[in-house]
Amino acid sequence: MNHTLLSTPSARPAGSGLAWLLEDFVNRVPGAEGALLASRDGLKMAVHNLTETEADRMSAVMSGLFSLARGVGNIKGDNDGLVQQIVIEHDAHRLFVMSAGSVPSDGTTPAAIGELLGVLSSPEADPGVVGYGMAQLVNSVNEHLQTPVRRSTGDGQ
């Protein structure tokens, strides 16, 4: 694996939120075509190189895949584990989804629901390079990857 392609992210542009990290990732990782950061329940947080429609679709797919993948632990009754990564290989693209941000695993009600990092790549992209780059990105900014739990106002809205 060529780790030189996955150098440290460049300096952060002012006022760019987390989208600059996704742009830097797509520019640095061979085969990466677009990236999306979304809450685990499908709310888009940051996007690079995807149209609004593509980002909406990808966010919904990522959320659904994550929800389904959580069921893997239920097969043998092991509910304590977390989904680390999901890879879908399609003729036209590969979709990588990685858990990002941390949530309590002690059964308490979380103050945050965590996020998902999704990367759409060409089918020729090296899955090891993309996965390594995603893990590197998540580990470097993990403390910023949490979505506060949205609470009802109690007035029916």
mmCIF file of all heavy atoms in Angstrom, residues 93-144:
data_model
loop_
_atom_site.group_PDB
_atom_site.id
_atom_site.type_symbol
_atom_site.label_atom_id
_atom_site.label_comp_id
_atom_site.label_asym_id
_atom_site.label_seq_id
_atom_site.Cartn_x
_atom_site.Cartn_y
_atom_site.Cartn_z
ATOM 1 N N HIS A 93 -19.425 1.560 -9.550
ATOM 2 C CA HIS A 93 -18.796 2.268 -8.424
ATOM 3 C C HIS A 93 -18.578 1.318 -7.262
ATOM 4 O O HIS A 93 -19.141 0.229 -7.218
ATOM 5 C CB HIS A 93 -19.701 3.402 -7.905
ATOM 6 C CG HIS A 93 -20.038 4.421 -8.923
ATOM 7 N ND1 HIS A 93 -19.172 5.412 -9.311
ATOM 8 C CD2 HIS A 93 -21.163 4.602 -9.664
ATOM 9 C CE1 HIS A 93 -19.731 6.160 -10.228
ATOM 10 N NE2 HIS A 93 -20.946 5.691 -10.472
ATOM 11 N N ARG A 94 -17.799 1.783 -6.310
ATOM 12 C CA ARG A 94 -17.722 1.158 -4.991
ATOM 13 C C ARG A 94 -18.192 2.200 -3.995
ATOM 14 O O ARG A 94 -17.891 3.382 -4.130
ATOM 15 C CB ARG A 94 -16.289 0.764 -4.649
ATOM 16 C CG ARG A 94 -15.837 -0.494 -5.318
ATOM 17 C CD ARG A 94 -14.575 -1.029 -4.670
ATOM 18 N NE ARG A 94 -14.211 -2.264 -5.308
ATOM 19 C CZ ARG A 94 -13.020 -2.519 -5.817
ATOM 20 N NH1 ARG A 94 -12.062 -1.633 -5.731
ATOM 21 N NH2 ARG A 94 -12.778 -3.670 -6.391
ATOM 22 N N LEU A 95 -18.932 1.753 -2.997
ATOM 23 C CA LEU A 95 -19.357 2.634 -1.915
ATOM 24 C C LEU A 95 -18.764 2.105 -0.627
ATOM 25 O O LEU A 95 -18.949 0.938 -0.278
ATOM 26 C CB LEU A 95 -20.886 2.692 -1.802
ATOM 27 C CG LEU A 95 -21.422 3.494 -0.612
ATOM 28 C CD1 LEU A 95 -21.035 4.965 -0.712
ATOM 29 C CD2 LEU A 95 -22.940 3.332 -0.511
ATOM 30 N N PHE A 96 -18.035 2.975 0.053
ATOM 31 C CA PHE A 96 -17.443 2.656 1.349
ATOM 32 C C PHE A 96 -18.183 3.482 2.397
ATOM 33 O O PHE A 96 -18.362 4.685 2.215
ATOM 34 C CB PHE A 96 -15.964 3.051 1.388
ATOM 35 C CG PHE A 96 -15.106 2.318 0.389
ATOM 36 C CD1 PHE A 96 -15.067 2.713 -0.941
ATOM 37 C CD2 PHE A 96 -14.332 1.236 0.782
ATOM 38 C CE1 PHE A 96 -14.278 2.051 -1.868
ATOM 39 C CE2 PHE A 96 -13.540 0.564 -0.133
ATOM 40 C CZ PHE A 96 -13.504 0.967 -1.459
ATOM 41 N N VAL A 97 -18.601 2.851 3.475
ATOM 42 C CA VAL A 97 -19.260 3.549 4.572
ATOM 43 C C VAL A 97 -18.540 3.160 5.843
ATOM 44 O O VAL A 97 -18.373 1.977 6.141
ATOM 45 C CB VAL A 97 -20.762 3.172 4.669
ATOM 46 C CG1 VAL A 97 -21.421 3.920 5.818
ATOM 47 C CG2 VAL A 97 -21.481 3.451 3.358
ATOM 48 N N MET A 98 -18.100 4.165 6.596
ATOM 49 C CA MET A 98 -17.365 3.920 7.831
ATOM 50 C C MET A 98 -18.002 4.697 8.969
ATOM 51 O O MET A 98 -18.379 5.853 8.800
ATOM 52 C CB MET A 98 -15.901 4.355 7.665
ATOM 53 C CG MET A 98 -15.023 4.075 8.875
ATOM 54 S SD MET A 98 -13.275 4.456 8.552
ATOM 55 C CE MET A 98 -12.832 3.044 7.546
ATOM 56 N N SER A 99 -18.098 4.045 10.099
ATOM 57 C CA SER A 99 -18.599 4.704 11.297
ATOM 58 C C SER A 99 -17.603 5.774 11.721
ATOM 59 O O SER A 99 -16.397 5.562 11.693
ATOM 60 C CB SER A 99 -18.769 3.659 12.407
ATOM 61 O OG SER A 99 -19.329 4.230 13.543
ATOM 62 N N ALA A 100 -18.124 6.933 12.083
ATOM 63 C CA ALA A 100 -17.275 8.053 12.501
ATOM 64 C C ALA A 100 -17.910 8.705 13.714
ATOM 65 O O ALA A 100 -19.126 8.740 13.848
ATOM 66 C CB ALA A 100 -17.150 9.068 11.362
ATOM 67 N N GLY A 101 -17.110 9.233 14.589
ATOM 68 C CA GLY A 101 -17.642 9.814 15.813
ATOM 69 C C GLY A 101 -17.985 8.707 16.780
ATOM 70 O O GLY A 101 -18.254 7.581 16.402
ATOM 71 N N SER A 102 -17.941 9.016 18.039
ATOM 72 C CA SER A 102 -18.206 7.990 19.034
ATOM 73 C C SER A 102 -19.494 8.287 19.778
ATOM 74 O O SER A 102 -19.885 9.438 19.937
ATOM 75 C CB SER A 102 -17.041 7.900 20.017
ATOM 76 O OG SER A 102 -16.829 9.151 20.622
ATOM 77 N N VAL A 103 -20.130 7.223 20.209
ATOM 78 C CA VAL A 103 -21.334 7.327 21.027
ATOM 79 C C VAL A 103 -21.150 6.384 22.210
ATOM 80 O O VAL A 103 -20.399 5.421 22.127
ATOM 81 C CB VAL A 103 -22.612 6.967 20.234
ATOM 82 C CG1 VAL A 103 -22.862 7.972 19.136
ATOM 83 C CG2 VAL A 103 -22.533 5.575 19.655
ATOM 84 N N PRO A 104 -21.812 6.623 23.328
ATOM 85 C CA PRO A 104 -21.656 5.750 24.485
ATOM 86 C C PRO A 104 -22.052 4.315 24.169
ATOM 87 O O PRO A 104 -23.043 4.083 23.492
ATOM 88 C CB PRO A 104 -22.604 6.346 25.528
ATOM 89 C CG PRO A 104 -22.865 7.736 25.082
ATOM 90 C CD PRO A 104 -22.715 7.737 23.590
ATOM 91 N N SER A 105 -21.254 3.363 24.638
ATOM 92 C CA SER A 105 -21.585 1.957 24.443
ATOM 93 C C SER A 105 -22.047 1.318 25.747
ATOM 94 O O SER A 105 -22.171 0.115 25.833
ATOM 95 C CB SER A 105 -20.362 1.202 23.903
ATOM 96 O OG SER A 105 -19.293 1.326 24.807
ATOM 97 N N ASP A 106 -22.306 2.161 26.762
ATOM 98 C CA ASP A 106 -22.681 1.639 28.081
ATOM 99 C C ASP A 106 -24.191 1.599 28.291
ATOM 100 O O ASP A 106 -24.658 1.403 29.404
ATOM 101 C CB ASP A 106 -22.024 2.467 29.177
ATOM 102 C CG ASP A 106 -22.428 3.939 29.127
ATOM 103 O OD1 ASP A 106 -23.284 4.304 28.296
ATOM 104 O OD2 ASP A 106 -21.874 4.719 29.915
ATOM 105 N N GLY A 107 -24.964 1.796 27.229
ATOM 106 C CA GLY A 107 -26.410 1.731 27.342
ATOM 107 C C GLY A 107 -27.060 3.026 27.778
ATOM 108 O O GLY A 107 -28.277 3.109 27.870
ATOM 109 N N THR A 108 -26.278 4.060 28.058
ATOM 110 C CA THR A 108 -26.863 5.337 28.441
ATOM 111 C C THR A 108 -27.410 6.045 27.212
ATOM 112 O O THR A 108 -27.039 5.730 26.084
ATOM 113 C CB THR A 108 -25.822 6.251 29.114
ATOM 114 O OG1 THR A 108 -24.783 6.534 28.179
ATOM 115 C CG2 THR A 108 -25.232 5.610 30.356
ATOM 116 N N THR A 109 -28.291 6.990 27.413
ATOM 117 C CA THR A 109 -28.820 7.770 26.301
ATOM 118 C C THR A 109 -27.727 8.704 25.813
ATOM 119 O O THR A 109 -27.198 9.501 26.578
ATOM 120 C CB THR A 109 -30.049 8.592 26.746
ATOM 121 O OG1 THR A 109 -31.015 7.681 27.251
ATOM 122 C CG2 THR A 109 -30.625 9.363 25.580
ATOM 123 N N PRO A 110 -27.344 8.592 24.545
ATOM 124 C CA PRO A 110 -26.256 9.429 24.044
ATOM 125 C C PRO A 110 -26.674 10.883 23.853
ATOM 126 O O PRO A 110 -27.823 11.171 23.564
ATOM 127 C CB PRO A 110 -25.908 8.791 22.701
ATOM 128 C CG PRO A 110 -27.188 8.156 22.261
ATOM 129 C CD PRO A 110 -27.884 7.705 23.533
ATOM 130 N N ALA A 111 -25.709 11.764 24.024
ATOM 131 C CA ALA A 111 -25.924 13.175 23.720
ATOM 132 C C ALA A 111 -25.668 13.423 22.244
ATOM 133 O O ALA A 111 -25.986 14.470 21.721
ATOM 134 C CB ALA A 111 -24.996 14.030 24.567
ATOM 135 N N ALA A 112 -25.052 12.439 21.582
ATOM 136 C CA ALA A 112 -24.736 12.545 20.162
ATOM 137 C C ALA A 112 -24.999 11.199 19.510
ATOM 138 O O ALA A 112 -24.909 10.157 20.159
ATOM 139 C CB ALA A 112 -23.280 12.960 19.972
ATOM 140 N N ILE A 113 -25.311 11.213 18.220
ATOM 141 C CA ILE A 113 -25.637 9.969 17.539
ATOM 142 C C ILE A 113 -24.524 9.468 16.626
ATOM 143 O O ILE A 113 -24.663 8.436 16.005
ATOM 144 C CB ILE A 113 -26.950 10.098 16.737
ATOM 145 C CG1 ILE A 113 -26.857 11.200 15.698
ATOM 146 C CG2 ILE A 113 -28.114 10.284 17.651
ATOM 147 C CD1 ILE A 113 -28.058 11.289 14.792
ATOM 148 N N GLY A 114 -23.402 10.153 16.572
ATOM 149 C CA GLY A 114 -22.318 9.710 15.712
ATOM 150 C C GLY A 114 -22.609 10.009 14.256
ATOM 151 O O GLY A 114 -23.702 10.438 13.906
ATOM 152 N N GLU A 115 -21.633 9.785 13.434
ATOM 153 C CA GLU A 115 -21.762 10.088 12.016
ATOM 154 C C GLU A 115 -21.215 8.958 11.178
ATOM 155 O O GLU A 115 -20.602 8.024 11.688
ATOM 156 C CB GLU A 115 -21.054 11.408 11.690
ATOM 157 C CG GLU A 115 -21.742 12.574 12.367
ATOM 158 C CD GLU A 115 -21.206 13.936 11.971
ATOM 159 O OE1 GLU A 115 -20.281 14.005 11.145
ATOM 160 O OE2 GLU A 115 -21.725 14.922 12.491
ATOM 161 N N LEU A 116 -21.445 9.074 9.891
ATOM 162 C CA LEU A 116 -20.955 8.118 8.911
ATOM 163 C C LEU A 116 -20.155 8.871 7.863
ATOM 164 O O LEU A 116 -20.572 9.937 7.414
ATOM 165 C CB LEU A 116 -22.123 7.402 8.222
ATOM 166 C CG LEU A 116 -23.059 6.609 9.114
ATOM 167 C CD1 LEU A 116 -24.265 6.121 8.309
ATOM 168 C CD2 LEU A 116 -22.333 5.439 9.751
ATOM 169 N N LEU A 117 -19.045 8.301 7.476
ATOM 170 C CA LEU A 117 -18.250 8.826 6.373
ATOM 171 C C LEU A 117 -18.474 7.891 5.200
ATOM 172 O O LEU A 117 -18.283 6.676 5.318
ATOM 173 C CB LEU A 117 -16.770 8.876 6.738
ATOM 174 C CG LEU A 117 -15.808 9.240 5.608
ATOM 175 C CD1 LEU A 117 -16.093 10.645 5.067
ATOM 176 C CD2 LEU A 117 -14.367 9.113 6.078
ATOM 177 N N GLY A 118 -18.918 8.444 4.077
ATOM 178 C CA GLY A 118 -19.120 7.657 2.873
ATOM 179 C C GLY A 118 -18.232 8.149 1.757
ATOM 180 O O GLY A 118 -18.052 9.350 1.584
ATOM 181 N N VAL A 119 -17.669 7.215 1.015
ATOM 182 C CA VAL A 119 -16.827 7.550 -0.132
ATOM 183 C C VAL A 119 -17.301 6.732 -1.321
ATOM 184 O O VAL A 119 -17.454 5.512 -1.228
ATOM 185 C CB VAL A 119 -15.337 7.266 0.141
ATOM 186 C CG1 VAL A 119 -14.500 7.439 -1.124
ATOM 187 C CG2 VAL A 119 -14.816 8.161 1.257
ATOM 188 N N LEU A 120 -17.567 7.417 -2.411
ATOM 189 C CA LEU A 120 -17.914 6.776 -3.669
ATOM 190 C C LEU A 120 -16.640 6.764 -4.509
ATOM 191 O O LEU A 120 -15.996 7.807 -4.669
ATOM 192 C CB LEU A 120 -19.014 7.571 -4.370
ATOM 193 C CG LEU A 120 -19.718 6.889 -5.531
ATOM 194 C CD1 LEU A 120 -20.478 5.650 -5.058
ATOM 195 C CD2 LEU A 120 -20.667 7.860 -6.213
ATOM 196 N N SER A 121 -16.274 5.580 -4.998
ATOM 197 C CA SER A 121 -15.035 5.481 -5.777
ATOM 198 C C SER A 121 -15.302 4.774 -7.089
ATOM 199 O O SER A 121 -16.358 4.175 -7.298
ATOM 200 C CB SER A 121 -13.971 4.710 -4.983
ATOM 201 O OG SER A 121 -14.214 3.315 -5.044
ATOM 202 N N SER A 122 -14.314 4.828 -7.948
ATOM 203 C CA SER A 122 -14.361 4.054 -9.182
ATOM 204 C C SER A 122 -14.206 2.580 -8.807
ATOM 205 O O SER A 122 -13.655 2.256 -7.746
ATOM 206 C CB SER A 122 -13.241 4.478 -10.122
ATOM 207 O OG SER A 122 -11.984 4.096 -9.577
ATOM 208 N N PRO A 123 -14.661 1.674 -9.673
ATOM 209 C CA PRO A 123 -14.514 0.254 -9.354
ATOM 210 C C PRO A 123 -13.050 -0.210 -9.348
ATOM 211 O O PRO A 123 -12.735 -1.235 -8.766
ATOM 212 C CB PRO A 123 -15.319 -0.457 -10.444
ATOM 213 C CG PRO A 123 -15.581 0.542 -11.494
ATOM 214 C CD PRO A 123 -15.415 1.897 -10.892
ATOM 215 N N GLU A 124 -12.178 0.587 -9.955
ATOM 216 C CA GLU A 124 -10.764 0.233 -10.006
ATOM 217 C C GLU A 124 -9.995 0.692 -8.777
ATOM 218 O O GLU A 124 -8.835 0.322 -8.590
ATOM 219 C CB GLU A 124 -10.093 0.840 -11.249
ATOM 220 C CG GLU A 124 -10.613 0.314 -12.569
ATOM 221 C CD GLU A 124 -11.919 0.987 -12.993
ATOM 222 O OE1 GLU A 124 -12.206 2.127 -12.545
ATOM 223 O OE2 GLU A 124 -12.669 0.373 -13.764
ATOM 224 N N ALA A 125 -10.606 1.493 -7.917
ATOM 225 C CA ALA A 125 -9.905 2.009 -6.736
ATOM 226 C C ALA A 125 -9.503 0.846 -5.836
ATOM 227 O O ALA A 125 -10.233 -0.134 -5.688
ATOM 228 C CB ALA A 125 -10.810 2.966 -5.967
ATOM 229 N N ASP A 126 -8.340 0.953 -5.248
ATOM 230 C CA ASP A 126 -7.832 -0.063 -4.329
ATOM 231 C C ASP A 126 -8.594 0.049 -3.008
ATOM 232 O O ASP A 126 -8.470 1.059 -2.306
ATOM 233 C CB ASP A 126 -6.335 0.156 -4.108
ATOM 234 C CG ASP A 126 -5.695 -0.886 -3.214
ATOM 235 O OD1 ASP A 126 -6.391 -1.469 -2.352
ATOM 236 O OD2 ASP A 126 -4.487 -1.109 -3.355
ATOM 237 N N PRO A 127 -9.388 -0.960 -2.640
ATOM 238 C CA PRO A 127 -10.174 -0.875 -1.408
ATOM 239 C C PRO A 127 -9.314 -0.674 -0.160
ATOM 240 O O PRO A 127 -9.723 0.009 0.779
ATOM 241 C CB PRO A 127 -10.903 -2.218 -1.338
ATOM 242 C CG PRO A 127 -10.862 -2.765 -2.709
ATOM 243 C CD PRO A 127 -9.641 -2.200 -3.359
ATOM 244 N N GLY A 128 -8.123 -1.229 -0.153
ATOM 245 C CA GLY A 128 -7.226 -1.056 0.985
ATOM 246 C C GLY A 128 -6.777 0.388 1.144
ATOM 247 O O GLY A 128 -6.721 0.919 2.253
ATOM 248 N N VAL A 129 -6.472 1.043 0.027
ATOM 249 C CA VAL A 129 -6.041 2.441 0.066
ATOM 250 C C VAL A 129 -7.195 3.342 0.490
ATOM 251 O O VAL A 129 -7.037 4.219 1.335
ATOM 252 C CB VAL A 129 -5.470 2.884 -1.306
ATOM 253 C CG1 VAL A 129 -5.224 4.380 -1.346
ATOM 254 C CG2 VAL A 129 -4.178 2.128 -1.611
ATOM 255 N N VAL A 130 -8.388 3.105 -0.072
ATOM 256 C CA VAL A 130 -9.545 3.925 0.292
ATOM 257 C C VAL A 130 -9.896 3.718 1.759
ATOM 258 O O VAL A 130 -10.093 4.676 2.513
ATOM 259 C CB VAL A 130 -10.759 3.622 -0.620
ATOM 260 C CG1 VAL A 130 -11.983 4.400 -0.157
ATOM 261 C CG2 VAL A 130 -10.441 3.952 -2.076
ATOM 262 N N GLY A 131 -9.964 2.469 2.201
ATOM 263 C CA GLY A 131 -10.290 2.175 3.597
ATOM 264 C C GLY A 131 -9.276 2.743 4.566
ATOM 265 O O GLY A 131 -9.636 3.301 5.608
ATOM 266 N N TYR A 132 -8.003 2.620 4.224
ATOM 267 C CA TYR A 132 -6.949 3.174 5.080
ATOM 268 C C TYR A 132 -7.078 4.691 5.166
ATOM 269 O O TYR A 132 -6.982 5.274 6.247
ATOM 270 C CB TYR A 132 -5.564 2.784 4.536
ATOM 271 C CG TYR A 132 -4.435 3.409 5.311
ATOM 272 C CD1 TYR A 132 -4.024 2.870 6.523
ATOM 273 C CD2 TYR A 132 -3.774 4.535 4.831
ATOM 274 C CE1 TYR A 132 -2.988 3.445 7.245
ATOM 275 C CE2 TYR A 132 -2.744 5.123 5.540
ATOM 276 C CZ TYR A 132 -2.351 4.571 6.749
ATOM 277 O OH TYR A 132 -1.324 5.150 7.449
ATOM 278 N N GLY A 133 -7.306 5.327 4.035
ATOM 279 C CA GLY A 133 -7.455 6.778 4.024
ATOM 280 C C GLY A 133 -8.654 7.238 4.835
ATOM 281 O O GLY A 133 -8.596 8.244 5.549
ATOM 282 N N MET A 134 -9.749 6.487 4.742
ATOM 283 C CA MET A 134 -10.941 6.830 5.522
ATOM 284 C C MET A 134 -10.663 6.698 7.022
ATOM 285 O O MET A 134 -11.033 7.571 7.813
ATOM 286 C CB MET A 134 -12.114 5.929 5.124
ATOM 287 C CG MET A 134 -12.659 6.207 3.748
ATOM 288 S SD MET A 134 -13.942 5.025 3.237
ATOM 289 C CE MET A 134 -15.305 5.562 4.297
ATOM 290 N N ALA A 135 -10.015 5.606 7.411
ATOM 291 C CA ALA A 135 -9.692 5.401 8.824
ATOM 292 C C ALA A 135 -8.771 6.504 9.329
ATOM 293 O O ALA A 135 -8.946 7.020 10.440
ATOM 294 C CB ALA A 135 -9.053 4.028 9.025
ATOM 295 N N GLN A 136 -7.810 6.888 8.510
ATOM 296 C CA GLN A 136 -6.880 7.959 8.865
ATOM 297 C C GLN A 136 -7.637 9.274 9.058
ATOM 298 O O GLN A 136 -7.413 10.002 10.025
ATOM 299 C CB GLN A 136 -5.828 8.078 7.760
ATOM 300 C CG GLN A 136 -4.641 8.930 8.093
ATOM 301 C CD GLN A 136 -3.638 8.912 6.945
ATOM 302 O OE1 GLN A 136 -4.006 8.906 5.766
ATOM 303 N NE2 GLN A 136 -2.368 8.913 7.292
ATOM 304 N N LEU A 137 -8.565 9.565 8.167
ATOM 305 C CA LEU A 137 -9.360 10.787 8.260
ATOM 306 C C LEU A 137 -10.232 10.775 9.513
ATOM 307 O O LEU A 137 -10.257 11.741 10.278
ATOM 308 C CB LEU A 137 -10.229 10.953 7.009
ATOM 309 C CG LEU A 137 -11.203 12.137 7.009
ATOM 310 C CD1 LEU A 137 -10.459 13.460 7.138
ATOM 311 C CD2 LEU A 137 -12.050 12.118 5.750
ATOM 312 N N VAL A 138 -10.942 9.685 9.733
ATOM 313 C CA VAL A 138 -11.827 9.586 10.896
ATOM 314 C C VAL A 138 -11.021 9.722 12.192
ATOM 315 O O VAL A 138 -11.423 10.445 13.109
ATOM 316 C CB VAL A 138 -12.623 8.263 10.866
ATOM 317 C CG1 VAL A 138 -13.287 7.985 12.203
ATOM 318 C CG2 VAL A 138 -13.662 8.305 9.761
ATOM 319 N N ASN A 139 -9.895 9.053 12.271
ATOM 320 C CA ASN A 139 -9.077 9.125 13.489
ATOM 321 C C ASN A 139 -8.518 10.513 13.742
ATOM 322 O O ASN A 139 -8.366 10.925 14.890
ATOM 323 C CB ASN A 139 -7.947 8.102 13.439
ATOM 324 C CG ASN A 139 -8.452 6.687 13.596
ATOM 325 O OD1 ASN A 139 -9.508 6.450 14.181
ATOM 326 N ND2 ASN A 139 -7.717 5.746 13.055
ATOM 327 N N SER A 140 -8.247 11.254 12.682
ATOM 328 C CA SER A 140 -7.637 12.575 12.862
ATOM 329 C C SER A 140 -8.633 13.638 13.306
ATOM 330 O O SER A 140 -8.236 14.641 13.895
ATOM 331 C CB SER A 140 -6.917 13.017 11.581
ATOM 332 O OG SER A 140 -7.850 13.295 10.560
ATOM 333 N N VAL A 141 -9.916 13.442 13.027
ATOM 334 C CA VAL A 141 -10.913 14.465 13.382
ATOM 335 C C VAL A 141 -12.101 13.868 14.136
ATOM 336 O O VAL A 141 -13.167 14.456 14.182
ATOM 337 C CB VAL A 141 -11.404 15.234 12.137
ATOM 338 C CG1 VAL A 141 -10.281 16.032 11.507
ATOM 339 C CG2 VAL A 141 -12.044 14.305 11.128
ATOM 340 N N ASN A 142 -11.926 12.719 14.754
ATOM 341 C CA ASN A 142 -13.026 11.998 15.394
ATOM 342 C C ASN A 142 -13.815 12.849 16.384
ATOM 343 O O ASN A 142 -15.034 12.756 16.457
ATOM 344 C CB ASN A 142 -12.501 10.741 16.081
ATOM 345 C CG ASN A 142 -13.599 9.755 16.385
ATOM 346 O OD1 ASN A 142 -14.471 9.526 15.559
ATOM 347 N ND2 ASN A 142 -13.558 9.176 17.556
ATOM 348 N N GLU A 143 -13.133 13.708 17.144
ATOM 349 C CA GLU A 143 -13.832 14.505 18.164
ATOM 350 C C GLU A 143 -14.799 15.516 17.559
ATOM 351 O O GLU A 143 -15.684 16.023 18.233
ATOM 352 C CB GLU A 143 -12.838 15.220 19.093
ATOM 353 C CG GLU A 143 -12.003 16.295 18.423
ATOM 354 C CD GLU A 143 -10.766 15.784 17.691
ATOM 355 O OE1 GLU A 143 -10.544 14.565 17.619
ATOM 356 O OE2 GLU A 143 -9.995 16.626 17.177
ATOM 357 N N HIS A 144 -14.664 15.815 16.270
ATOM 358 C CA HIS A 144 -15.561 16.762 15.597
ATOM 359 C C HIS A 144 -16.707 16.064 14.866
ATOM 360 O O HIS A 144 -17.536 16.721 14.237
ATOM 361 C CB HIS A 144 -14.790 17.617 14.592
ATOM 362 C CG HIS A 144 -13.688 18.395 15.217
ATOM 363 N ND1 HIS A 144 -13.905 19.446 16.074
ATOM 364 C CD2 HIS A 144 -12.344 18.242 15.131
ATOM 365 C CE1 HIS A 144 -12.736 19.921 16.488
ATOM 366 N NE2 HIS A 144 -11.784 19.202 15.925
#
